[in-house]
Amino acid sequence: VLAVGLCASAALDALAAEEEDSGYRALWKRGAYRQALERLDEQLASTLPNAPMSWVSDRAELRFLNGEVDLAIEDLESLVEALPVAHITLRLAEVYRYRGRMADYEQALDAADRRIDAAYRYAPEQTLVVAGRLAELRGEDPKRILSTTYKLLMDSHPDYVPAYVAAGDLAHRKGSYAAAAQYYLQALERDANEQEALAGLAACYWASRDERLEATLETLTKLNPHQPEGVAVRVEMLLDAGKTHEALEHIDAVLKTNPNQLHFRALKAAALFLEDDDTGMAELQAAVLAFNPQCSDVFRVPGRIASRHYRFKESVKLQRRAVEIDPADHVARAELAFNLLRLGEDEAGRGELEAAFAADPYNVAVFNSLNVLDTLAEYELVSEGPFMLQLPAAEAPVLTASALDLLTQASAELQRKYDLTIETPVRVQIFDNHDDFMVRSLGLPGNPGHLGICFGQLITMDSPSARPKGSMNWHAVLWHEFTHVITLQKTKNRMPRWLSEGISVYEETLRNPGWGMRLKVTHQDLIGEELPGASDLELFFTQPKTPEHLMLGYFLSAEFVTHYVSAHGEPALVETLDRIGRNEKALSALAVSAGVSVGQLDQAFRAYLERRFEILDRIPEFAAMMRRGLEASATESWSEAEQAFQEAHTLLPEYHDDDGPLARLAEIYETTGQKDALVRNLQAQMELNTENLSAWRRLTTLYKDRSDWPKVAAAAEGGAAIDPFDLGQARDLLEAQRAMGAHEEALATATRLVVLDSARAPEYQVSRVELLMALRRWPEAKRQVIALLEESPHYWEAQKLLLALVEGASYVR
Ligand SMILES: [Zn+2]
C-alpha cells in the first residue's frame, strides 16, 4: 500500500512542480514567504481534497517560515499519519524540538529511525540524508557519518545536491569550516543557485574570515534577499562592527515576517545586550522561553557576541544560563569553557571543557583546547609579583628574566600613567608552537597574523621560536599586549578594538621608536581616495578587506591616538577610558573629553592625516633619487651615490625596507670603511624598525671594536629581543657585562648560556665560578667548581679555579 501511495504521489508531484514554477515555489525561492504561503493556500483550496502530498509538506515549511509553527506541526502530523515515511517524521521531530516539545521530539525521532529501512527501498538518496541526520542527532561520530553514510550517498548519486548540503551542514555544526566549505562548494558546482549551500558557505567564510565572503553573500542576496541564514551572517557582521542599529533593522524585518524565528530572536537579544538594554534583553528571553522552555540559544548567542566584544565576564553569565536551561547545549558549555579560560580561570574552564568533550567529543575547538591545556600543564610556571608566566621548560631559562623585567617596568609605568590599579594575577602564556597559541586563544589553529592576544587578565603570545627567525620583536609584542591589560581593565573590557590597538601601538612607539609602525608607500593605495575619520577606524578591524587593510587599521589607529594626545593631552585620553568604562560610546567619550564634537574630531583627524600623507607625493622624486644613487653605485662613484641616497632618505624618512636608502648607505659605508657613519646609520635604522637581526649583529661588532661595552650590551640586548636564542649575541652580552664589572647581570647571562650552548657549557661554568668569586659568594663558587670537577676531573681551568678558591677563601676567612 505504501509503495503505491508513494509512487502515485511522486508522479503527481512532478506534474505539479512544473506548473508551480510561476507559482508559490518561485515566490518562496525569492524569499517572499508570506505571499508564497498565500498562493499555496489558494492552490490547496481549489484542489482539495486531491492535493498532492508535496503541497502539504511545502505548506508546512512555509508556515514554519512564517512563524506559524503550531500549524506547521499540524500539517506534518497529518502527513505522517497518512504517509509514515522517515523524512517527514524526522522533520516533524525537528519542529517539535523547535517548539520545545521534547517528549514528542524523542518519540518522533524513534519513529523516524524505525522507518528508515522501509523508506530506503523507495527513495534511497533522501533516506540516506535522513539516516545521516539521525545519526548526528544521536551523537554519532561526524567523521564516520561523513565517511560512511554521506560518502556512500555521494558515490552512488554524485549529482544529488542535498547530500553535499547535508554533509556541509554537519561539518559546519562541528566547527570544521574548511571541510564544510568544500562540501558546500561541491553542492554549488552542481547547482550554482542552491541557497542553503550559499548560506552555509557564507557562514563558514565568516567564521574563518575568508575574503570570498562578500561575493558569496552577494550571490545569495540576488537570489533571495530574505534567506534567513544569509541575513543572519549579515547581522553577525553588523553586531561585530558594533553597528547595532543597522543590525536591529535587519533583525526586525525578519521578525516581522516570522515572529517565531528563534535564531533571530537570539540575535536580537545580542543586539540589546550591546545596547546595554538589560531589561529589553531579559523580557525577550522570557518571551522566548515561554515559546520554547529549552531554547538556550537566546542566552548562548548573546553570550557568544559578548565574548566577541571581549565582554568575557558577561559572556560567562549568559552561557551559564544557557547551560542551565538546556544541559545538553554542548556548544554553550564549550563557549562557557573558552570564556573561563580567557578570564584565566583555567581550573573551572578545564572542568567545563571536559564536560563538553564527554557530551560531544567531535567539537574541533574543544578537542584542540584540551590538548593545549595538556601542553600547558607541562610548561614551566613562574610566579613573580602580580605575574604568572607559563612557557616551555626549555625556553624558560632564556626568556623568563627578560619577560618579567619588561612586564614589571610596563606595569609600573602604565598603571601610573593611566591611573589604575590592575586586577591580578596577570597570566602570560608564551607558546613555542603557533597553532597551540591560536588554539589556546581562539580555539582554532592557523592565522599567522596574530603574534599575541590579550583578554584582560591573560596574555597569550608566540615565542620568537614559533616564528621565522628574526621576524618578531617579542619585547615589543609583550609591551603591546600589556598595554591592552591596562586599557581593557580600565574600561571593564568595553574598549572598541580600534582604540585599544591604537593605544597599544602608540605606547609601543613611546617606549621605543623602532617598535611601533611607520607610514608606508603602499598605504596611499590601500586607503584610496577618501581619508578615514575616527568613526571609520573600527571597520578596518571588524571587516578588513585584506590582511593589509587590517595592518593599515593598526597604523591609522595609532596615528589617531598620537594626534589626539598631541591635540588634547594625555589626561583627555585617560578620561576617555574612564568614560568608556562607564558605558559611554568610545567616539563620544573621546569628543567630550576633548571638549569637541564627534564631527570636529573626525574633521581634525582627516586634516592631520592629509598633512601626514602629503609626504607620499614625493614618491616619484624619491624613486628618481634612488635610481641616481644606484647608477652612481654601479660606477663606484661613492660620494655621489651617498648624496643621492641621503637625499632619498630625507624625502621619505620613514622608508626602511631592505632596498631602501638607509640600507644602501650602510653598504657604501661598509665598502668605503666609514665606521662612524656606519654606526650612525645602523642606529638610525634601529629607530625605524628593530626587526633587523643582521643590523643588530653588525652594530654589536662595531661597538666591540671600539670596546664601548655599555653599547655592546645594549645592542646585544636589542638583538635578543629579536632572537633570544642567538648564541653570538648572548656571548657578546656576557663579554660586555664582564668588562663593565656588572657581575650580577653577567652571572645571569652565563647561567643562561649553560643551557643555551651546552657544547661549551664547561666554559660558562668556569665564568660562573669566576663571577661568584668576584661577588664573594664563596660557598656557591666552591660547590660549583666541585660539581664541575666531578664531571670532568682533568679540566685544567677548573683545577686552577679550585686552587684560587681555596687560597682566596682561606685568605678571606
Ligand atoms: Zn593588540
Side-chain angles (χ1 to χ4, degrees), residues 122-181:
Y122 305 106
E125 309 95 306
Q126 194 177 39
T127 308
L128 279 171
V129 170
V130 172
R133 177 75 178 132
L134 278 171
E136 183 194 347
L137 289 169
R138 297 284 189 218
E140 283 177 33
D141 180 356
K143 274 205 186 118
R144 213 182 56 82
I145 304 173
L146 289 170
S147 65
T148 56
T149 314
Y150 288 133
K151 173 138 194 333
L152 175 73
L153 173 56
M154 289 168 197
D155 288 347
S156 56
H157 300 87
D159 290 322
Y160 186 61
V161 178
Y164 303 95
V165 177
D169 288 346
L170 171 57
H172 183 198
R173 278 190 286 267
K174 298 298 168 187
S176 302
Y177 302 117

Side-chain angles (χ1 to χ4, degrees), residues 422-621:
I422 51 168
E423 279 181 54
T424 57
V426 174
R427 280 175 192 255
V428 179
Q429 297 176 338
I430 302 180
F431 295 85
D432 58 355
N433 174 307
H434 179 72
D435 280 343
D436 284 350
F437 154 57
M438 287 310 293
V439 166
R440 173 67 182 84
S441 315
L442 306 173
L444 294 170
N447 206 338
H450 290 281
L451 297 170
I453 297 182
C454 175
F455 298 96
Q457 247 177 287
L458 167 72
I459 291 172
T460 54
M461 64 184 275
D462 269 342
S463 156
S465 65
R467 317 286 303 189
K469 208 178 176 63
S471 68
M472 165 192 183
N473 186 319
W474 72 283
H475 284 179
V477 173
L478 198 52
W479 197 272
H480 175 110
E481 297 308 331
F482 187 81
T483 309
H484 283 312
V485 171
I486 297 283
T487 52
L488 283 172
Q489 290 203 17
K490 177 97 177 158
T491 57
K492 301 179 184 70
N493 282 36
R494 285 170 175 271
M495 197 69 175
R497 175 94 191 273
W498 73 270
L499 187 55
S500 191
E501 298 300 357
I503 295 178
S504 277
V505 176
Y506 165 76
E507 287 296 343
E508 267 184 74
T509 317
L510 284 191
R511 168 76 181 178
N512 183 333
W515 281 3
M517 296 177 84
R518 298 287 165 184
L519 181 67
K520 286 185 168 184
V521 291
T522 49
H523 282 158
Q524 185 84 71
D525 287 342
L526 287 172
I527 287 191
E529 288 298 297
E530 207 162 319
L531 288 169
S535 1
D536 303 314
L537 295 175
E538 180 77 353
L539 270 181
F540 283 93
F541 293 91
T542 51
Q543 280 149 52
K545 283 188 206 132
T546 65
E548 285 78 33
H549 283 88
L550 177 64
M551 292 319 291
L552 176 62
Y554 277 82
F555 171 76
L556 290 172
S557 302
E559 287 293 313
F560 173 81
V561 175
T562 307
H563 156 70
Y564 184 86
V565 169
S566 80
H568 309 292
E570 249 158 22
L573 185 64
V574 177
E575 188 189 326
T576 296
L577 298 186
D578 279 325
R579 287 180 180 277
I580 295 174
R582 295 195 299 264
N583 300 0
E584 287 183 34
K585 297 281 175 211
L587 282 172
S588 65
L590 281 162
V592 172
S593 306
V596 296
S597 70
V598 173
Q600 284 167 325
L601 207 62
D602 272 342
Q603 205 179 11
F605 181 51
R606 278 206 185 89
Y608 164 85
L609 277 186
E610 209 169 297
R611 285 195 304 280
R612 187 84 173 81
F613 275 69
E614 253 166 26
I615 207 169
L616 295 180
D617 295 344
R618 304 177 187 165
I619 292 174
E621 214 182 323

